[in-house]
Amino acid sequence: MKRLFAVIGDPIGHSMSPVMHNDLFAFYQIDAYYLPFQVKPDDLEAAVKGLRALGAGGFNVTVPHKQRIIPYLDEVDELAQAIGAVNTVVSDGGKLIGYNTDGPGFLTGLASCLPTVKGKKILIIGAGGAARAIYFTLAKEQPLAIDIANRSVDKAGSLIEDCPYIADSNAYSLGEADTLIHEYDLIVQTTSIGMAPKIAEQPLNVTALKAGAAVCDIIYNPLETKFLHQAKTNGAAIQNGIDMFVFQGALAFEKWVNIMPDVDRMRENVLKQLGGASC
Ligand code: ATR
């Protein structure tokens, strides 16, 4: 019987995951389909029960359900528990287990731009859900330090307090971080600043960069934000948000069917969905 996989979120219409995963199922000749379901926050518990009753093999969870789904699962892995958010659920013989592949997806994708974060000084811009997943994941990789810059410094401070994996972290305002930019080996932009249609905006300047610095933006529309363009012009190795998106999907796929899929194929597919643009 065909196996069911899904993504639940609200809104869900623009998700690129169904086309990406259905292409993989066809390519690897797996008898399964992946469907998007729009689930209102009040219907989340019922939706999880429904997916359980239908025998879904697994599903992705996106905004606004990543935190609130946790009580409805049978088990949550250590990293997802620490992050406090789940984006991937695996049904293990009916037992629903929650994982977070957003942070690991970012880290795996980063390897082509920066081979290791061990011993590196890192700045994360933003303190929302995406920043949280990336911060907790990078913090486990023995970096020298990870600072967080955010519009509300308090929110950056509470994120740092929550993280069990790292001692050396400071919370800064965006203005403070602007003056410290030359200190960092890796800078990761996680806010929505610079996303289409507001492409003229950027959170801070990346002109006085350290030699050899890597700069990432998790935005993929546009493929090169003003922030990334400035970093590139100033000598940085840059990476946009495509890799994080593709690798979070690849790691979810691997958990569901035990095959690490062809990420180049996935990237091509996503770029096609975005309208054929390239970096
Ligand atoms: P996500 O889950 O996608 O990370 P989020 O939880 O809404 O989204 O977090 C958005 C992040 O972008 C936050 O760090 C937010 O800053 P605040 O914590 O101060 O709200 C940041 N952000 C969004 N719009 C911003 C703007 N115009 N200027 C500065 N920061 C902004």
Side-chain angles (χ1 to χ4, degrees):
M1 197 175 70
K2 235 176 162 60
R3 296 174 72 199
L4 170 66
F5 293 86
V7 56
I8 56 172
D10 183 26
I12 200 64
H14 291 103
S15 172
M16 293 188 289
S17 294
V19 172
M20 185 171 78
H21 284 290
N22 283 318
D23 172 69
L24 292 177
F25 288 142
F27 185 67
Y28 292 105
Q29 299 185 331
I30 295 167
D31 192 19
Y33 42 27
Y34 183 108
L35 297 174
F37 292 110
Q38 183 173 6
V39 174
K40 298 266 170 244
D42 284 349
D43 294 329
L44 179 61
E45 183 175 9
V48 175
K49 279 188 175 158
L51 285 165
R52 197 193 278 277
L54 292 170
F59 54 95
N60 283 128
V61 185
T62 189
V63 178
H65 305 313
K66 288 186 185 187
Q67 288 89 22
R68 289 191 50 242
I69 193 161
I70 288 180
Y72 308 128
L73 302 176
D74 301 312
E75 209 175 291
V76 175
D77 102 313
E78 186 220 298
L79 179 66
Q81 194 85 57
I83 293 168
V86 161
N87 80 317
T88 299
V89 176
V90 177
S91 171
D92 180 6
K95 184 164 87 173
L96 298 184
I97 307 173
Y99 297 91
N100 190 306
T101 68
D102 286 330
F106 173 77
L107 180 64
T108 314
L110 181 65
S112 60
C113 180
L114 184 72
T116 180
V117 296
K118 189 170 175 184
K120 304 292 188 199
K121 187 158 182 176
I122 301 169
L123 176 70
I124 294 177
I125 303 167
R132 203 175 165 89
I134 291 171
Y135 177 59
F136 280 51
T137 307
L138 296 182
K140 291 185 92 168
E141 299 298 313
Q142 298 174 271
L144 179 67
I146 309 181
D147 295 336
I148 302 181
N150 197 42
R151 173 174 58 185
S152 18
V153 186
D154 286 0
K155 204 166 150 193
S158 33
L159 175 45
I160 289 170
E161 277 170 29
D162 282 356
C163 183
Y165 305 129
I166 190 164
D168 197 355
S169 272
N170 294 294
Y172 293 121
S173 68
L174 296 173
E176 283 167 334
D178 208 325
T179 66
L180 299 171
I181 221 70
H182 57 280
E183 293 187 4
Y184 298 101
D185 303 297
L186 170 64
I187 300 165
V188 188
Q189 197 306 102
T190 72
T191 75
S192 52
I193 304 170
M195 193 188 287
K198 296 187 179 173
I199 57 169
E201 297 181 358
Q202 71 181 90
L204 47 76
N205 279 304
V206 271
T207 45
L209 289 165
K210 185 173 173 176
V215 177
C216 305
D217 196 323
I218 70 162
I219 291 171
Y220 48 74
N221 183 17
L223 290 171
E224 190 172 292
T225 56
K226 190 176 175 198
F227 174 81
L228 268 194
H229 183 75
Q230 189 183 58
K232 184 172 82 177
T233 310
N234 286 277
I238 61 164
Q239 188 165 67
N240 65 23
I242 293 280
D243 276 332
M244 178 176 174
F245 178 72
V246 163
F247 277 97
Q248 65 73 33
L251 295 175
F253 189 84
E254 186 186 28
K255 287 187 186 305
W256 293 329
V257 300
N258 231 359
I259 295 170
M260 184 59 190
D262 178 348
V263 289
D264 292 333
R265 182 182 179 88
M266 297 171 76
R267 193 182 291 108
E268 287 297 307
N269 190 322
V270 169
L271 287 171
K272 208 163 29 168
Q273 290 193 62
L274 281 169
S278 64
C279 257

